[in-house]
CSV table of all heavy atoms in Angstrom, one decimal:
chain,number,residue,atom,x,y,z
A,1,GLY,N,114.6,106.1,91.4
A,1,GLY,CA,115.9,105.8,90.9
A,1,GLY,C,116.7,107.1,90.2
A,1,GLY,O,117.6,107.0,89.5
A,2,SER,N,115.9,108.3,90.5
A,2,SER,CA,116.7,109.5,90.0
A,2,SER,C,118.1,109.9,90.4
A,2,SER,O,119.0,109.6,89.7
A,2,SER,CB,115.7,110.7,90.2
A,2,SER,OG,114.4,110.4,89.9
A,3,PRO,N,118.2,110.2,91.7
A,3,PRO,CA,119.5,110.6,92.1
A,3,PRO,C,120.0,109.4,92.9
A,3,PRO,O,119.5,108.4,93.2
A,3,PRO,CB,119.3,111.7,93.2
A,3,PRO,CG,118.0,111.4,93.7
A,3,PRO,CD,117.2,110.6,92.6
A,4,ASN,N,121.5,109.6,93.1
A,4,ASN,CA,122.1,108.5,94.0
A,4,ASN,C,121.8,108.9,95.5
A,4,ASN,O,121.2,110.0,95.8
A,4,ASN,CB,123.6,108.3,93.7
A,4,ASN,CG,124.4,109.6,94.1
A,4,ASN,OD1,124.1,110.4,94.9
A,4,ASN,ND2,125.3,109.9,93.2
A,5,VAL,N,122.1,108.2,96.4
A,5,VAL,CA,121.9,108.5,97.9
A,5,VAL,C,122.4,109.8,98.3
A,5,VAL,O,121.6,110.6,99.0
A,5,VAL,CB,122.4,107.3,98.8
A,5,VAL,CG1,122.1,107.6,100.2
A,5,VAL,CG2,121.7,105.9,98.4
A,6,ASN,N,123.7,110.1,98.0
A,6,ASN,CA,124.2,111.5,98.4
A,6,ASN,C,123.4,112.6,97.8
A,6,ASN,O,123.1,113.6,98.5
A,6,ASN,CB,125.6,111.5,97.9
A,6,ASN,CG,126.6,110.7,98.7
A,6,ASN,OD1,126.3,110.5,100.0
A,6,ASN,ND2,127.7,110.2,98.1
A,7,GLN,N,123.1,112.5,96.5
A,7,GLN,CA,122.2,113.5,95.9
A,7,GLN,C,120.8,113.6,96.5
A,7,GLN,O,120.3,114.7,96.6
A,7,GLN,CB,122.1,113.3,94.3
A,7,GLN,CG,123.3,113.2,93.6
A,7,GLN,CD,123.3,112.9,92.2
A,7,GLN,OE1,122.5,111.9,91.9
A,7,GLN,NE2,124.2,113.4,91.3
A,8,ALA,N,120.2,112.5,96.8
A,8,ALA,CA,118.9,112.6,97.4
A,8,ALA,C,119.0,113.2,98.8
A,8,ALA,O,118.1,114.0,99.1
A,8,ALA,CB,118.3,111.1,97.6
A,9,ALA,N,120.0,113.0,99.6
A,9,ALA,CA,120.2,113.6,101.0
A,9,ALA,C,120.3,115.0,100.8
A,9,ALA,O,119.6,115.7,101.4
A,9,ALA,CB,121.4,112.9,101.6
A,10,SER,N,121.1,115.3,99.8
A,10,SER,CA,121.4,116.8,99.4
A,10,SER,C,120.0,117.6,99.1
A,10,SER,O,119.8,118.6,99.5
A,10,SER,CB,122.4,117.0,98.5
A,10,SER,OG,122.7,118.4,98.2
A,11,LEU,N,119.4,117.0,98.2
A,11,LEU,CA,118.1,117.5,97.6
A,11,LEU,C,117.0,117.8,98.7
A,11,LEU,O,116.3,118.7,98.5
A,11,LEU,CB,117.6,116.7,96.5
A,11,LEU,CG,118.3,116.7,95.2
A,11,LEU,CD1,117.7,115.6,94.2
A,11,LEU,CD2,118.2,118.0,94.5
A,12,VAL,N,117.0,116.9,99.7
A,12,VAL,CA,116.0,117.0,100.7
A,12,VAL,C,116.6,117.9,101.9
A,12,VAL,O,115.9,118.1,102.9
A,12,VAL,CB,115.4,115.8,101.2
A,12,VAL,CG1,114.7,115.0,100.1
A,12,VAL,CG2,116.5,114.9,101.8
A,13,GLY,N,117.8,118.4,101.8
A,13,GLY,CA,118.3,119.4,102.8
A,13,GLY,C,119.3,118.9,103.7
A,13,GLY,O,119.5,119.5,104.8
A,14,TYR,N,119.8,117.6,103.6
A,14,TYR,CA,120.8,117.1,104.5
A,14,TYR,C,122.1,117.2,104.0
A,14,TYR,O,122.5,116.7,102.9
A,14,TYR,CB,120.5,115.6,104.8
A,14,TYR,CG,119.3,115.3,105.7
A,14,TYR,CD1,118.1,115.1,105.2
A,14,TYR,CD2,119.4,115.4,107.1
A,14,TYR,CE1,117.0,114.8,106.0
A,14,TYR,CE2,118.3,115.3,107.9
A,14,TYR,CZ,117.1,114.8,107.3
A,14,TYR,OH,116.0,114.8,108.1
A,15,ASN,N,123.0,117.9,104.6
A,15,ASN,CA,124.4,118.3,104.3
A,15,ASN,C,125.2,117.2,104.8
A,15,ASN,O,126.4,116.9,104.2
A,15,ASN,CB,124.9,119.6,104.7
A,15,ASN,CG,124.1,120.7,104.1
A,15,ASN,OD1,123.7,120.6,102.9
A,15,ASN,ND2,123.8,121.8,104.8
A,16,ASN,N,124.9,116.5,105.8
A,16,ASN,CA,125.7,115.5,106.4
A,16,ASN,C,125.1,114.1,106.1
A,16,ASN,O,124.0,113.7,106.7
A,16,ASN,CB,125.7,115.7,108.0
A,16,ASN,CG,126.5,114.6,108.7
A,16,ASN,OD1,126.7,113.5,108.4
A,16,ASN,ND2,127.1,115.1,109.9
A,17,PHE,N,125.8,113.4,105.2
A,17,PHE,CA,125.3,112.1,104.7
A,17,PHE,C,125.2,111.1,105.8
A,17,PHE,O,124.2,110.4,105.8
A,17,PHE,CB,126.2,111.5,103.6
A,17,PHE,CG,125.9,110.3,103.2
A,17,PHE,CD1,124.6,110.1,102.5
A,17,PHE,CD2,126.5,109.0,103.6
A,17,PHE,CE1,124.2,108.7,102.0
A,17,PHE,CE2,126.1,107.9,103.2
A,17,PHE,CZ,125.0,107.6,102.4
A,18,SER,N,126.0,111.1,106.7
A,18,SER,CA,125.9,110.1,107.9
A,18,SER,C,124.7,110.4,108.7
A,18,SER,O,123.9,109.3,109.0
A,18,SER,CB,127.2,110.1,108.8
A,18,SER,OG,128.3,109.8,108.1
A,19,HIS,N,124.3,111.6,109.0
A,19,HIS,CA,123.2,112.0,109.8
A,19,HIS,C,122.0,111.5,109.0
A,19,HIS,O,121.0,110.9,109.5
A,19,HIS,CB,123.2,113.4,110.0
A,19,HIS,CG,122.0,113.8,110.8
A,19,HIS,ND1,121.9,113.5,112.2
A,19,HIS,CD2,120.9,114.6,110.5
A,19,HIS,CE1,120.8,114.1,112.6
A,19,HIS,NE2,120.2,114.7,111.6
A,20,PHE,N,121.8,111.7,107.7
A,20,PHE,CA,120.8,111.3,106.9
A,20,PHE,C,120.6,109.8,106.8
A,20,PHE,O,119.5,109.3,107.0
A,20,PHE,CB,121.0,111.8,105.4
A,20,PHE,CG,120.1,111.1,104.4
A,20,PHE,CD1,118.8,111.6,104.3
A,20,PHE,CD2,120.5,110.2,103.5
A,20,PHE,CE1,117.9,111.0,103.4
A,20,PHE,CE2,119.6,109.6,102.7
A,20,PHE,CZ,118.3,110.0,102.6
A,21,ALA,N,121.6,109.1,106.7
A,21,ALA,CA,121.7,107.6,106.6
A,21,ALA,C,121.2,107.1,107.9
A,21,ALA,O,120.3,106.1,107.9
A,21,ALA,CB,123.0,107.0,106.2
A,22,ALA,N,121.6,107.6,109.0
A,22,ALA,CA,121.1,107.2,110.3
A,22,ALA,C,119.7,107.4,110.5
A,22,ALA,O,119.0,106.5,111.0
A,22,ALA,CB,122.0,107.8,111.5
A,23,LEU,N,119.2,108.6,110.2
A,23,LEU,CA,117.8,108.9,110.3
A,23,LEU,C,116.9,108.0,109.3
A,23,LEU,O,115.8,107.5,109.8
A,23,LEU,CB,117.5,110.4,110.0
A,23,LEU,CG,118.0,111.4,111.1
A,23,LEU,CD1,117.8,112.8,110.6
A,23,LEU,CD2,117.1,111.1,112.4
A,24,PHE,N,117.4,107.8,108.2
A,24,PHE,CA,116.8,107.1,107.2
A,24,PHE,C,116.5,105.6,107.7
A,24,PHE,O,115.5,105.0,107.7
A,24,PHE,CB,117.5,107.0,105.8
A,24,PHE,CG,116.7,106.5,104.8
A,24,PHE,CD1,116.0,107.3,103.9
A,24,PHE,CD2,116.7,105.1,104.5
A,24,PHE,CE1,115.2,106.7,102.8
A,24,PHE,CE2,116.0,104.5,103.3
A,24,PHE,CZ,115.3,105.3,102.5
A,25,LYS,N,117.7,105.0,108.2
A,25,LYS,CA,117.7,103.7,108.8
A,25,LYS,C,116.7,103.6,110.1
A,25,LYS,O,116.0,102.7,110.2
A,25,LYS,CB,119.0,103.2,109.1
A,25,LYS,CG,119.1,101.7,109.5
A,25,LYS,CD,120.4,101.1,109.7
A,25,LYS,CE,120.3,99.6,110.0
A,25,LYS,NZ,121.5,99.0,110.0
A,26,LYS,N,116.8,104.5,110.8
A,26,LYS,CA,116.0,104.6,112.1
A,26,LYS,C,114.4,104.6,111.7
A,26,LYS,O,113.7,104.0,112.4
A,26,LYS,CB,116.3,105.8,113.0
A,26,LYS,CG,115.6,105.9,114.2
A,26,LYS,CD,116.0,107.1,115.1
A,26,LYS,CE,115.1,107.1,116.3
A,26,LYS,NZ,115.5,108.3,117.1
A,27,THR,N,114.2,105.4,110.7
A,27,THR,CA,112.9,105.6,110.3
A,27,THR,C,112.2,104.5,109.4
A,27,THR,O,111.1,104.0,109.8
A,27,THR,CB,112.6,106.8,109.4
A,27,THR,OG1,113.1,108.0,110.2
A,27,THR,CG2,111.2,107.1,108.9
A,28,TYR,N,112.9,104.0,108.6
A,28,TYR,CA,112.4,102.8,107.6
A,28,TYR,C,113.0,101.5,107.8
A,28,TYR,O,112.7,100.5,107.3
A,28,TYR,CB,112.8,103.3,106.2
A,28,TYR,CG,112.0,104.5,105.8
A,28,TYR,CD1,112.6,105.8,105.5
A,28,TYR,CD2,110.6,104.6,105.8
A,28,TYR,CE1,112.0,106.9,105.2
A,28,TYR,CE2,109.9,105.7,105.5
A,28,TYR,CZ,110.6,106.9,105.2
A,28,TYR,OH,109.9,108.0,104.8
A,29,GLY,N,114.1,101.3,108.8
A,29,GLY,CA,114.7,100.1,109.1
A,29,GLY,C,115.6,99.5,108.1
A,29,GLY,O,115.9,98.3,108.1
A,30,VAL,N,116.0,100.3,107.1
A,30,VAL,CA,116.9,99.9,106.1
A,30,VAL,C,117.9,101.0,105.8
A,30,VAL,O,117.5,102.1,105.7
A,30,VAL,CB,116.2,99.4,104.9
A,30,VAL,CG1,115.4,100.5,104.2
A,30,VAL,CG2,117.1,98.8,103.9
A,31,ASN,N,119.1,100.7,105.5
A,31,ASN,CA,120.2,101.6,105.1
A,31,ASN,C,119.7,102.3,103.6
A,31,ASN,O,119.3,101.4,102.9
A,31,ASN,CB,121.5,101.0,105.1
A,31,ASN,CG,122.6,101.9,104.7
A,31,ASN,OD1,122.7,102.4,103.7
A,31,ASN,ND2,123.5,102.0,105.8
A,32,PRO,N,119.8,103.5,103.4
A,32,PRO,CA,119.4,104.0,102.1
A,32,PRO,C,120.2,103.4,101.0
A,32,PRO,O,119.5,103.2,100.0
A,32,PRO,CB,119.8,105.5,102.2
A,32,PRO,CG,120.5,105.8,103.4
A,32,PRO,CD,120.3,104.6,104.3
A,33,SER,N,121.4,103.1,101.1
A,33,SER,CA,122.2,102.4,100.0
A,33,SER,C,121.6,101.0,99.8
A,33,SER,O,121.4,100.5,98.7
A,33,SER,CB,123.6,102.3,100.4
A,33,SER,OG,124.2,103.6,100.6
A,34,ASN,N,121.3,100.3,100.8
A,34,ASN,CA,120.7,98.9,100.7
A,34,ASN,C,119.3,99.1,100.0
A,34,ASN,O,118.9,98.2,99.2
A,34,ASN,CB,120.5,98.2,102.0
A,34,ASN,CG,121.9,97.9,102.5
A,34,ASN,OD1,122.9,97.9,101.9
A,34,ASN,ND2,122.0,97.6,103.8
A,35,TYR,N,118.6,100.0,100.3
A,35,TYR,CA,117.3,100.3,99.8
A,35,TYR,C,117.4,100.5,98.3
A,35,TYR,O,116.6,99.9,97.5
A,35,TYR,CB,116.5,101.5,100.4
A,35,TYR,CG,115.2,101.8,99.8
A,35,TYR,CD1,114.2,100.9,100.0
A,35,TYR,CD2,115.0,102.8,99.1
A,35,TYR,CE1,112.9,101.1,99.4
A,35,TYR,CE2,113.8,103.1,98.4
A,35,TYR,CZ,112.8,102.2,98.6
A,35,TYR,OH,111.6,102.4,98.0
A,36,VAL,N,118.4,101.3,97.9
A,36,VAL,CA,118.6,101.6,96.5
A,36,VAL,C,118.8,100.3,95.7
A,36,VAL,O,118.3,100.0,94.6
A,36,VAL,CB,119.6,102.7,96.3
A,36,VAL,CG1,120.0,102.8,94.8
A,36,VAL,CG2,119.0,104.1,96.7
A,37,ARG,N,119.8,99.5,96.3
A,37,ARG,CA,120.1,98.2,95.7
A,37,ARG,C,119.0,97.3,95.5
A,37,ARG,O,118.9,96.6,94.6
A,37,ARG,CB,121.3,97.6,96.5
A,37,ARG,CG,121.9,96.5,95.8
A,37,ARG,CD,123.0,95.9,96.6
A,37,ARG,NE,122.6,95.4,97.9
A,37,ARG,CZ,123.1,95.8,99.2
A,37,ARG,NH1,124.2,96.5,99.2
A,37,ARG,NH2,122.6,95.4,100.3
A,38,ASP,N,118.2,97.3,96.6
A,38,ASP,CA,117.0,96.4,96.6
A,38,ASP,C,115.9,96.8,95.5
A,38,ASP,O,115.4,96.0,94.9
A,38,ASP,CB,116.4,96.2,98.0
A,38,ASP,CG,117.3,95.5,99.0
A,38,ASP,OD1,118.3,94.9,98.6
A,38,ASP,OD2,117.0,95.7,100.2
């Protein structure tokens, strides 16, 4: 729960949020925003 999704993407080196979200969903089967909400 530390950063929001945009901050987490940036902290791990993704400048393109859409690319990060797509890879996250492909890897874990859930959108990062939905994961945070859950």
Side-chain angles (χ1 to χ4, degrees):
S2 309
N4 64 38
V5 177
N6 287 328
Q7 291 170 330
S10 181
L11 286 170
V12 298
Y14 286 96
N15 296 322
N16 183 326
F17 174 74
S18 297
H19 183 67
F20 167 75
L23 286 173
F24 192 95
K25 185 170 183 173
K26 181 179 178 182
T27 302
Y28 297 114
V30 63
N31 186 298
S33 298
N34 293 344
Y35 176 69
V36 169
R37 188 180 60 234
D38 293 344

